[in-house]
Amino acid sequence: MDGTITPTTAPVLILLGPPGAGKGTQARMLEEQFGLVQLSTGDLLRAAVAAGTEAGKQAKAVMEAGDLVSDEIVIAILRDRLADADCARGVILDGFPRTKVQAQALDDLLAETGQQIDAAISLDVDDAAMVTRIAGRYTCGNCGEGYHDSFKTPAKSGVCDNCGGTEFKRRADDNAETVASRLDAYHAQTAPLIEYYAQAGALSRVDAMGSIEDIAADLAAIVKTATA
Ligand code: AMP
């Protein structure tokens, strides 16, 4: 915390969707296009695991099993990150909230600074396609740019288009078995948030089975309207 007060006008966007729906890819594109900050609780948790923090130690086995980390841990991590000065530009939440308790905590947190959610956008996909999408994905170890064995390979093999990096990595939980648990967790605990945000009048839905560019265009239109 550096004492910065987040302006009440900063946009707050939420991307909802099962693992593999493209939340991370799209959040990164929106980040660039609109100057917002992508907040991925998955990334924050992976960083906590890598750093060996107390929260990371508690989260590790849960993440490897494809289950949800406790609301308490995730909300604390998100709250800390939201207090960073860069978040005053506005945020795209990718992978948070994932439960009703988290959604309510987010509403309360935003209310503290007079903010509210501008849009919660559901990326609608077919579950069956998600396993293939996830099994082939990997990222640049340097800049985090996302790639896929079948759908998005670097222009020059083995070299990141974005930063020229040559080290790539795959997530430990991107395997068929864990993906099944992650999809189950999504349907049981996260999908009900679609109704939660519909009732709040903040929900938009996007068909996320098309090309990355088409989905990005649909999202950009929604974000423009929501933040106008
Ligand atoms: P992701 O990178 O969003 O796919 O998240 C990877 C894993 O981190 C998930 O399968 C969960 O175990 C954990 N995780 C990420 N975000 C949350 C959240 N908001 N609530 C609970 N667990 C989470």
Side-chain angles (χ1 to χ4, degrees), residues 41-42 45-46 63 67 69 74 95-96 98 102 171 182:
T41 40
L45 286 165
R46 279 184 287 279
M63 293 171 75
D67 295 330
V69 174
V74 179
F96 184 97
R98 262 174 156 102
Q102 293 177 20
R171 280 170 46 172
R182 288 162 63 198

